[in-house]
Amino acid sequence: MNTSIETSWIVGANGVFVGSPSGTWRRIGAFDYFTTALLRTDERLVAGVTCGMWEIDPSAGAWKQLHDETLTEVLTLAAFADDDGFPRVIAGCPYGVAVGARGRHNAVRWTFRSGALRVNERFTNVLLRLRDGKDFLVGAEGGVLIAYDCGARWSRTSLAGTPVRALIEAGGTYYAGTDGRGVWKSRDGEAWDPAGYGIDDRTALSLCRDGERIVVGTDRGVFSGDGVGRWTESGP
């Protein structure tokens, strides 16, 4: 990516756009796919869309197909390094978690790692890498699971039986946004407890960190807090 792209915002909508909140925006290339996930690293920009996955060259406006016939609606993306340090991508979709590798003719082929899970555990909404390595928290329709070694081995956690829409790590603590049960927290990703109080019956759709506080986008407004006390409404 060139310098102007590296310092700009990248936003997914009907297509992928580059710009700034106070300036102008331009669509990257001619593709107007509904974008559900973006992964931006120092080496690449990857978009998950409702019909697969693409690597984008912002300078040239080019989109290169990364999906095959098995990987369709991509909902979440995360990065990891393989044993040789090569940067790789793991994808989550309604059918599970998949890892890609280049095969014959340099085409990417995808292998699903979640076939042994229940249907609602395979439906993956969000991925979050567990600090370093190839282990991931998986926010699914069936709760939070842990995928060790990119899904070679799985473990269920205490946060189960509810859809999980968002995951973040802040200050050594993991936070999960759930459907109708507010925000939960964990130190190790396995044992989960309610985080704060006051939005216990809300659906937490998004999470981010703002300094020492956590900001939650819910189905009934924006809230912030420290994950211990009461959540404070901070938006409409």
Side-chain angles (χ1 to χ4, degrees):
M1 297 184 215
N2 62 40
T3 303
S4 62
I5 295 295
E6 289 174 348
T7 58
S8 297
W9 286 51
I10 303 288
V11 173
N14 290 324
V16 176
F17 293 78
V18 60
S20 66
S22 59
T24 59
W25 295 86
R26 66 174 176 86
R27 189 195 305 272
I28 301 175
F31 293 88
D32 60 356
Y33 298 131
F34 182 76
T35 304
T36 52
L38 287 172
L39 176 63
R40 183 179 187 176
T41 69
D42 292 338
E43 297 86 9
R44 64 200 310 201
L45 173 64
V46 179
V49 304
T50 51
C51 58
M53 184 193 302
W54 302 78
E55 184 167 358
I56 302 173
D57 180 344
S59 300
W63 289 51
K64 180 171 69 175
Q65 179 179 323
L66 297 181
H67 59 273
D68 60 13
E69 71 278 5
T70 67
L71 186 68
T72 53
E73 184 180 1
V74 176
L75 300 179
T76 180
L77 298 167
F80 70 97
D82 65 15
D83 294 337
D84 296 323
F86 186 78
R88 300 273 297 279
V89 176
I90 184 170
C93 72
Y95 311 104
V97 170
V99 176
R102 294 194 180 276
R104 293 182 60 190
H105 312 299
N106 206 35
V108 180
R109 302 298 295 177
W110 292 86
T111 302
F112 279 83
R113 301 289 186 85
S114 44
L117 302 177
R118 304 181 185 114
V119 172
N120 61 348
E121 293 173 336
R122 292 199 297 267
F123 196 119
T124 302
N125 297 311
V126 59
L127 292 164
L128 178 67
R129 193 169 71 174
L130 277 165
R131 300 182 174 95
D132 296 323
K134 295 187 288 185
D135 302 335
F136 291 85
L137 286 182
V138 179
E141 289 294 296
V144 173
L145 298 95
I146 301 177
Y148 295 100
D149 193 15
C150 293
R153 181 170 63 88
W154 289 82
S155 175
R156 295 181 174 93
T157 73
S158 67
L159 183 52
T162 186
V164 173
R165 306 293 177 196
L167 290 167
I168 64 166
E169 188 273 333
T173 299
Y174 298 107
Y175 294 88
T178 69
D179 270 17
R181 295 176 61 188
V183 179
W184 290 62
K185 63 183 179 181
S186 173
R187 297 290 293 183
D188 58 8
E190 298 179 357
W192 292 82
D193 297 295
Y197 59 92
I199 58 171
D200 306 31
D201 61 342
R202 306 289 174 94
T203 293
L205 299 167
S206 60
L207 295 165
C208 71
R209 180 178 180 177
D210 180 19
E212 298 300 317
R213 301 184 70 77
I214 305 299
V215 180
V216 187
T218 79
D219 57 337
R220 286 175 282 169
V222 178
F223 294 79
S224 64
D226 58 6
V228 178
R230 174 176 289 278
W231 294 96
T232 302
E233 191 169 10
S234 58

